[in-house]
Amino acid sequence: GRGGGQVFPARLTVADTALDVRAFCDTGFSVQEPLSSRAVVLVRFGAVQSRLPPALGTYLEQHFAGAAPLPVPALGVRLVPCTTVAGHCILPAVPARPRCTGPPFADLPPPPDGWEVLVGVEAGEMIHPLRHRQA
């Protein structure tokens, strides 16, 4: 991440399942979902895989293995085109409600396996508005 990034505790609610994670705010990360133009939080699948609802976890595991069919509408998954410096791909997008669960200026050490959730400034403001207004 670029300067200004901090790690803070957050909770993502995905399909009525709460996932407690450590989010990293990267001031250079500014991805938007193309249909709604809403800010995106990027979740590292391996960090949350075992905590997802079983049907969603199974679908995503198959997707990342290259063997997934089109998503079942009940899962709420949308396939979104993505372009990065590494090339083009299709990423599964799942509606989620993020919120911060810690103090306004928490700066935790990163998890041992790296970031779990990556947010940009816009998404970081949605998750933790006090932190960004006062920073």
Side-chain angles (χ1 to χ4, degrees):
R2 297 182 176 91
Q6 289 183 307
V7 176
F8 58 93
R11 177 169 290 150
L12 290 177
T13 303
V14 178
D16 296 326
T17 300
L19 307 173
D20 289 318
V21 295
R22 289 190 192 175
F24 178 77
C25 184
D26 182 342
T27 57
F29 181 74
S30 60
V31 177
Q32 290 184 332
E33 194 273 326
L35 298 175
S36 67
S37 297
R38 286 188 273 177
V40 169
V41 297
L42 186 64
V43 179
R44 189 167 52 87
F45 179 58
V48 299
Q49 181 176 7
S50 64
R51 298 181 281 159
L52 292 172
L56 179 59
T58 298
Y59 172 78
L60 292 173
E61 184 175 8
Q62 291 171 347
H63 174 85
F64 290 122
L70 291 176
V72 176
L75 293 177
V77 175
R78 290 186 297 201
L79 299 177
V80 177
C82 179
T83 302
T84 69
V85 294
H88 302 286
C89 65
I90 301 290
L91 291 177
V94 180
R97 289 183 314 276
R99 70 178 180 89
C100 185
T101 59
F105 296 97
D107 193 9
L108 302 173
D113 295 331
W115 59 270
E116 295 172 320
V117 175
L118 184 64
V119 301
V121 172
E122 184 179 341
E125 288 173 353
M126 291 184 323
I127 295 169
H128 206 316
L130 289 177
R131 161 202 293 246
H132 297 283
R133 282 190 207 130
Q134 296 175 9

